[in-house]
């Protein structure tokens, strides 16, 4: 049968179960609340937005979680 997607070589198999989210407008309001909720639920979150300083505040508020700021 057909196989979809690339296959990992046996020596490179990794746990691919990490949930990842990208949240736009994450510097304030509902975007920030969504990003923090996802981080609390165990997602790795990329927070995107125009205001780098506000994105960095969101990252700080999610202390202990995997959250990165991506200014746009």
């Amino acid at each position: 049968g057909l196989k979809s997607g690339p296959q990992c070589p046996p020596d490179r198999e990794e746990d691919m179960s990490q949930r990842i989210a990208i949240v736009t407008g994450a510097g304030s309001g509902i975007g920030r609340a969504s990003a923090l909720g996802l981080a609390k639920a165990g997602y790795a979150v990329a927070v995107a937005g125009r205001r780098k300083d506000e994105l960095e505040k969101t990252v700080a508020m999610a202390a202990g979680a995997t959250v990165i700021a991506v200014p746009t």
Side-chain angles (χ1 to χ4, degrees), residues 2 22 33:
L2 296 175
I22 301 170

Side-chain angles (χ1 to χ4, degrees), residues 2 6 9 11 13-14 27 34 41 58 66:
L2 296 175
D11 62 335
E13 288 185 23
E14 299 176 22
S34 297
T58 301
T66 302

Side-chain angles (χ1 to χ4, degrees), residues 2-66:
L2 296 175
K3 293 182 181 178
S4 63
Q7 301 296 316
C8 290
D11 62 335
R12 293 285 320 246
E13 288 185 23
E14 299 176 22
D15 178 12
M16 300 295 279
S17 64
Q18 173 68 51
R19 298 174 297 172
I20 300 169
I22 301 170
V23 179
T24 61
S28 64
I30 198 163
R32 176 178 278 164
S34 297
L36 294 173
L38 288 163
K40 185 176 180 180
Y43 282 74
V45 184
V47 294
R50 293 176 288 159
R51 298 176 295 164
K52 183 179 178 180
D53 57 327
E54 292 299 321
L55 293 174
E56 290 173 351
K57 288 180 187 176
T58 301
V59 171
M61 293 170 74
T66 302

